[in-house]
Amino acid sequence: MVSMPSAINTAIPVIEVSHVSTKFGQAVVHEDISLSIHRGEIFAIAGGNGCGKTTLLREVIGLMTPSAGTIQLFGMDSRRLEAGDGHPIHRRFGVMFQQGGLFSSLTLAENVAVPLREHTTLSEALIRDIVSVKIAMVELPPGSAEKYPNELSGGMRRRAALARAIVMDPELLFLDEPTAGLDPIIAAGFDDLVLSLKGLLGLTVVMVTHDLDSLWHIANRVAVLGRGKVLGIGTMQELSRSDDPIIREYFRGPRGRAASEQAAWNHRERQP
């Protein structure tokens, strides 16, 4: 049975964001953002549309450079990753981009195999075996391997993208809006899969989401962004008691209350 998430405390942060500011012209996206993400936790970045969640994620993985401040990823300045994805540290993390980001001209199996073909010298036979294992790990039927993305449902495409993100056996997994647009049952199944893979592979997971059900179900800690700042960091129980007006509106509105009540009911159902 999947248990309710709890806070995790470990000594050395996997990611350290220090005093990061981001500007596009005169527009301020982030202003003095600092946070730490620890090994073994599921850390979520939440907030309203336009608060800079995905921008922060892209800065952490080296696809964008903040205007000020530093980001340490496994102790390395993320700005050193900008030149491309050839740095060895890229093998230590996997990324599932919003909507999956699959190549439409490749089959599911070919999509999953892309990182192995680009970054290893493994034989084609071994690549096929690894891809088959990863497809099975995300609970996709074997017959789906030869299908193209447009032949798959939305939920299957997300699982295929997740298989590609873990194909290099990363330590750290980034998920950008992984359940956006999925119906609640499919989204809940995806959340359970993330929890299962985290335990099986020993992953640290960083998830950008506005899905309140996901936040209650799988996040150990959540950072809420707003007004260009980190408004609060903590467990969902801690944040739901916040006095900040934006956090209060986010978590205590009708949808937030419904998600909280559903999480509490699920927790009671799992008790022996």
Side-chain angles (χ1 to χ4, degrees), residues 74-107:
F74 296 115
M76 175 178 290
D77 192 322
S78 66
R79 288 173 292 192
R80 294 179 57 187
L81 305 178
E82 263 197 301
D85 60 359
H87 196 285
I89 205 169
H90 282 93
R91 299 191 182 195
R92 300 178 66 184
F93 67 82
V95 185
M96 178 183 153
F97 293 102
Q98 193 169 359
Q99 304 301 325
L102 299 176
F103 298 108
S104 60
S105 61
L106 301 181
T107 65

Side-chain angles (χ1 to χ4, degrees), residues 4 15 18 23 56 73 93 97 116 119-120 134 139-140 167 170 178 184 205 218:
M4 288 284 287
I15 298 168
S18 301
K23 297 181 181 179
L56 182 60
L73 178 62
F93 67 82
F97 293 102
L116 294 172
H119 302 300
T120 76
K134 300 304 180 182
E139 301 173 4
L140 284 170
V167 75
V205 180
I218 68 173

Side-chain angles (χ1 to χ4, degrees), residues 183-260:
D183 73 53
I185 294 175
I186 300 298
F190 191 93
D191 287 341
D192 286 338
L193 177 60
V194 170
L195 278 176
S196 176
L197 291 174
K198 172 189 174 292
L200 183 65
L201 302 176
L203 294 168
T204 302
V205 180
V206 180
M207 176 176 66
V208 168
T209 186
H210 62 270
D211 186 330
L212 289 163
D213 289 321
S214 290
L215 291 173
W216 276 106
H217 187 36
I218 68 173
N220 297 113
R221 290 192 301 142
V222 180
V224 182
L225 304 188
R227 300 192 298 267
K229 302 177 182 295
V230 176
L231 302 177
I233 299 177
T235 66
M236 287 294 284
Q237 288 86 353
E238 290 167 345
L239 290 170
S240 66
R241 296 190 293 267
S242 172
D243 291 327
D244 183 278
I246 293 179
I247 296 178
R248 187 168 60 244
E249 180 181 2
Y250 196 80
F251 291 114
R252 297 183 191 173
R255 293 184 64 192
R257 291 196 302 273
S260 173

